[in-house]
């Protein structure tokens, strides 16, 4: 699994995916999510860009990730942070140009990092040439246009609401209506239309030919709507949105599209992957997206949504592993992303944030790390309203309306304008405390979040009992609020303890600590990575688990 440095050459990008891939590399990969607008700004306009990402790639490689996922950087009016694409084959000038994308892919491959790009197939921008033509009455079948209801068709065609708030329909000049599950600037495509399908095949090929290693598929569960676009029922959508049981989500018809994309990916070799952003009602429904002939990964949002509760966490881990095992796929764990409140804030404390991360990184499967998570960044909850850009916030009573607070640009240095984010300011203000949370302030500090993540990812690479494999063995009979599981491997077993309570708990076990999310009682220094598995006996220890902690032990 070690990253091998290969020298990028002009000729290899189309055929190669970076360092020689382990078969099924994605099954236990750690993939780092870059929210391009907020990662690093090379030109001082306050907005992150592709050159900035390229310059900061060593941070991601040193962290020990296997791949990066880049959020959309395509030509876009930015009505929804780039998830409103006007040209799927062009880079938005605010982020750079195609040469920058090409350079970035080559540089990442040179560092042994694979590159996943975001593809947005559920909707285009309203500025996309197709939608402009549709407004002029040409090619409307590529979108979902319907006559209205009621006198003079003045009522929307059905009662669906936009995920961002307000009706999911907007009326155009000739009196008909078009569907947009998200903002009005994001008209939904009609996936029954052959031209739509052919166009996306061509777009996928365009980026695969440029050398990307796969796609994160935006709203992969929404591309097909229930036949006849049936009403949901007055007041029902707000109740059902959390369950995903809605006529525009998780319809069986989406799977045939993903099967086609799998075939296309495989035509480029076995290592290019598709990851579904799919919100499904149950782990079983989610597992359908990762059947052997469909996509490779699907984010486990059941895990992301799980409260800080030992019983709930254990059952979501069990159910997820069972569901994905039934189709022979890995589980894809995730705690934070650009759409949700950062997990340390969600769970109520930095200590819980660190513990949750160590839990996630010990589980069998792949894991996604959202930029800044490795710095322990909290959600920014006090942004001035006039600076917010999230359409969900701007449309008032949207889903949560708070998605700007997890998108504040990263701090790289303790000083300087925008704490090293770029030579200028930053499009959202960074809290003053982020000086101390910057990458430079945390590097080499053994007690920092950054060093915890680095060490965790390094141990995961070195030790087959972490990440790889399929099963966890729970230890039963533990005090309430405490979980422990064993991960077996020929290289030695690892015990993982999670204490969700506010008090230290002794356990009837002796083991040698490898890594702890919080200082361990009686342990001044954890063994150095080089000795972790060789000098275990010297560190054997009565297991006492601190409050709100996760600890990895050699056993
Ligand atoms: C996905 C994206 C989100 C975007 C939405 C509409 O959920 O993650 O940021 O707003 O799709 O494209």
């Amino acid at each position: 699994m070690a990253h091998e440095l290969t020298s990028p050459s002009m000729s290899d990008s189309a055929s190669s995916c970076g360092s020689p891939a382990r078969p099924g590399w994605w099954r236990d990969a750690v993939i780092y999510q870059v929210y391009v607008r907020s990662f690093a700004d090379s030109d001082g306009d306050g907005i992150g860009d592709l050159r900035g990402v390229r310059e900061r790639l060593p941070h991601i490689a040193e962290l020990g990730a296997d791949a990066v996922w880049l959020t959309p950087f395509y030509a876009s009016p930015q009505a929804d942070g780039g998830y409103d694409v006007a040209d799927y084959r062009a880079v938005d000038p605010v982020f750079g140009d195609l040469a920058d994308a090409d350079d970035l892919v080559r540089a990442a491959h040179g560092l042994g990092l694979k590159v996943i790009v975001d593809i947005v197939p559920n909707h285009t921008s309203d500025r996309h040439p197709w939608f402009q033509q549709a407004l002029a009455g040409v090619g409307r079948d590529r979108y979902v246009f319907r006559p209205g209801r009621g006198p003079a068709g003045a009522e929307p065609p059905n009662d669906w609401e936009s995920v961002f708030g307000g009706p999911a329909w907007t009326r155009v000049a000739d009196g008909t209506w078009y569907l947009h599950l998200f903002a009005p600037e994001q008209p939904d495509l009609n996936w029954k239309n052959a031209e739509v399908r052919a166009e996306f095949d061509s777009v996928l090929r365009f980026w695969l030919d440029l050398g990307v290693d796969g796609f994160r598929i935006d709203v992969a569960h929404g591309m097909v709507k229930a036949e006849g676009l049936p009403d949901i029922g007055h007041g029902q959508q707000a109740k059902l949105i959390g369950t995903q049981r809605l006529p525009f989500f998780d319809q069986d018809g989406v799977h045939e599209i993903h099967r086609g994309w799998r075939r296309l990916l495989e035509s480029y070799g076995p290592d290019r992957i598709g990851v579904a952003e799919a919100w499904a009602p149950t782990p079983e429904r989610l597992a359908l997206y990762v059947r052997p002939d469909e996509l490779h990964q699907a984010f486990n949002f059941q895990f992301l949504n799980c409260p800080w509760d030992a019983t709930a966490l254990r059952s979501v881990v069990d159910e997820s592993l069972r569901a994905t095992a039934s189709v022979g796929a890995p589980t894809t764990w995730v705690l934070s992303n650009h759409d949700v409140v950062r997990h340390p804030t969600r769970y109520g404390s930095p200590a819980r944030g660190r513990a949750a991360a160590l839990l996630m990184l010990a589980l069998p499967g792949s894991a996604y790390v959202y930029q800044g998570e490795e710095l322990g960044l909290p959600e920014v909850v006090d942004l001035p309203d006039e600076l917010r850009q999230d359409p969900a916030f701007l449309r008032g009573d949207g889903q949560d309306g708070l998605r700007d607070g997890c998108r504040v640009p990263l701090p790289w240095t303790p000083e300087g304008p925008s704490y090293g984010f770029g030579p200028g300011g930053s499009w959202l203000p960074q809290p003053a405390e982020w000086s101390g949370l910057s990458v430079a302030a945390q590097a080499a500090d053994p007690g920092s979040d950054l060093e915890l993540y680095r060490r965790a990812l390094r141990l995961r690479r070195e030790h087959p009992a972490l990440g790889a494999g399929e099963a966890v063995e729970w230890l039963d009979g533990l005090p309430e609020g405490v979980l422990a599981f064993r991960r077996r491997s020929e290289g030695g077993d690892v015990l993982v303890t999670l204490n969700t309570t506010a008090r230290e708990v002794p356990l009837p076990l002796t083991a040698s600590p490898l890594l702890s999310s919080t200082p361990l009682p009686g342990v001044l220094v954890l063994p150095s990575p080089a000795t972790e598995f060789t000098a275990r006996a010297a560190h054997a220890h009565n297991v006492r688990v601190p409050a709100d902690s996760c600890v990895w032990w050699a056993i």
Side-chain angles (χ1 to χ4, degrees):
M1 262 214 245
H3 284 145
E4 283 176 36
L5 274 171
T6 55
S7 51
S9 77
M10 289 304 286
S11 61
D12 68 357
S13 97
S15 58
S16 117
C17 305
S19 59
R22 289 175 298 121
W25 66 271
W26 67 88
R27 301 183 77 88
D28 59 359
V30 174
I31 301 182
Y32 185 95
Q33 180 190 351
V34 169
Y35 190 72
V36 177
R37 169 175 287 271
S38 303
F39 188 67
D41 170 24
S42 72
D43 59 11
D45 66 357
I47 297 176
D49 48 43
L50 294 181
R51 193 140 58 90
V53 179
R54 174 163 58 80
E55 288 165 1
R56 293 290 190 186
L57 281 175
H59 169 71
I60 304 171
E62 276 163 40
L63 186 65
D66 300 285
V68 288
W69 150 31
L70 304 167
T71 51
F73 49 78
Y74 314 112
S76 160
Q78 307 291 326
D80 180 21
Y83 283 95
D84 49 320
V85 181
D87 182 347
Y88 290 83
R89 296 179 186 79
V91 173
D92 196 283
V94 84
F95 299 128
D97 58 23
L98 263 184
D100 292 321
D102 197 46
D103 287 349
L104 170 52
V105 171
R106 287 166 199 278
H109 286 170
L111 290 167
L113 293 166
K114 294 185 177 296
V115 180
I116 314 281
V117 295
D118 224 307
I119 194 83
V120 188
N122 179 68
H123 43 265
T124 67
S125 159
D126 61 345
R127 307 287 171 80
H128 190 285
W130 275 3
F131 194 71
Q132 292 297 312
Q133 289 167 23
L135 289 180
V138 178
R140 281 200 172 176
D141 186 56
R142 297 169 183 143
Y143 292 92
V144 185
F145 279 83
R146 294 286 184 278
R149 296 198 289 204
E155 301 290 323
N158 70 17
D159 64 0
W160 297 1
E161 287 160 32
S162 150
V163 169
F164 293 156
W169 297 90
T170 291
R171 201 170 193 196
V172 300
D174 70 6
T176 50
W177 298 72
Y178 70 89
L179 177 69
H180 51 87
L181 292 186
F182 295 89
E185 296 88 349
Q186 295 167 295
D188 278 52
L189 285 163
N190 169 19
W191 273 85
K192 288 188 181 147
N193 180 290
E195 239 185 308
V196 169
R197 290 175 180 241
E199 170 65 359
F200 273 88
D201 280 359
S202 157
V203 168
L204 296 186
R205 286 183 194 286
F206 178 86
W207 291 102
L208 289 166
D209 289 340
L210 190 127
V212 307
D213 302 285
F215 301 96
R216 177 266 190 189
I217 298 155
D218 190 60
V219 198
H221 59 312
M223 295 150 75
V224 171
K225 281 78 181 172
E227 202 56 54
L229 311 182
D231 278 336
I232 296 168
H234 182 67
Q236 290 303 303
Q237 184 168 329
K239 290 188 201 144
L240 291 170
I241 189 90
T243 69
Q244 313 300 326
R245 290 181 206 278
L246 289 161
F248 48 75
F249 282 158
D250 194 38
Q251 299 295 306
D252 289 337
V254 296
H255 294 287
E256 184 247 318
I257 301 170
H258 300 316
R259 275 194 282 273
W261 285 10
R262 174 68 175 246
R263 287 193 295 275
L264 195 155
L265 287 164
E266 286 191 350
S267 73
Y268 281 77
D271 298 324
R272 315 269 182 134
I273 70 162
V275 50
E277 187 220 16
W279 295 80
T282 61
E284 288 72 28
R285 289 290 303 180
L286 186 66
L288 299 180
Y289 291 79
V290 287
R291 285 177 286 190
D293 60 349
E294 292 200 32
L295 300 171
H296 300 73
Q297 300 180 326
F299 296 114
N300 183 345
F301 294 126
Q302 260 97 12
F303 179 68
L304 182 149
N305 279 331
C306 189
W308 188 244
D309 175 277
T311 311
L313 283 164
R314 178 172 167 165
S315 43
V316 84
V317 166
D318 276 344
E319 282 168 25
S320 307
L321 290 173
R322 203 177 311 122
T324 48
S326 74
V327 293
T331 306
T332 301
W333 309 101
V334 58
L335 287 166
S336 282
N337 65 30
H338 66 292
D339 289 330
V340 298
V341 172
R342 284 186 177 275
H343 72 266
T345 304
R346 246 176 28 235
Y347 287 142
S349 76
R352 290 180 179 178
R354 282 189 288 273
L358 282 199
L359 168 67
M360 170 176 83
L361 294 169
L363 292 168
S366 167
Y368 278 71
V369 171
Y370 176 49
Q371 67 177 41
E373 176 180 332
E374 77 281 21
L375 305 177
L377 297 186
E379 182 81 2
V380 179
V381 291
D382 56 358
L383 288 169
D385 286 356
E386 64 277 13
L387 296 181
R388 290 181 180 275
Q389 298 201 6
D390 181 359
F393 178 80
L394 302 174
R395 283 173 70 82
D397 54 352
Q399 197 177 22
D400 53 38
L402 287 172
R403 296 185 308 169
D404 290 307
C406 61
R407 299 175 178 179
V408 173
L410 289 197
W412 293 90
T413 53
E415 318 273 329
S418 64
Y419 303 116
F421 168 62
S426 79
W427 68 279
L428 285 173
Q430 301 147 301
E433 312 82 78
W434 283 23
S435 161
L437 294 178
S438 64
V439 174
Q442 295 198 40
D445 170 359
S448 70
D449 283 72
L450 177 58
E451 290 303 330
L452 180 75
Y453 268 79
R454 284 181 175 166
R455 205 160 159 165
L457 265 54
R458 177 166 173 183
L459 271 167
R460 229 181 111 98
R461 276 167 179 262
E462 287 169 357
H463 205 278
L466 297 160
E470 279 158 21
V472 300
E473 280 174 40
W474 297 103
L475 274 62
D476 286 319
L478 300 180
E480 206 181 320
V482 178
L483 297 177
F485 59 84
R486 192 176 184 125
R487 309 261 359 252
R488 290 188 188 272
S489 86
E490 286 180 4
D493 294 356
V494 172
L495 175 75
V496 178
T497 55
L498 180 77
N499 181 0
T500 62
T501 75
R503 58 184 200 291
E504 183 186 306
V505 178
L507 299 180
L509 297 165
T510 307
S512 156
L514 292 171
L515 192 60
S516 178
S517 63
T518 201
L520 282 174
V523 177
L524 292 180
V525 189
L526 285 169
S528 79
T531 60
E532 261 146 9
F533 279 90
T534 46
R536 285 175 219 168
H539 299 282
H541 204 265
N542 288 329
V543 172
R544 279 158 64 200
V545 285
D548 285 328
S549 74
C550 181
V551 189
W552 297 356
W553 312 80
I555 193 164

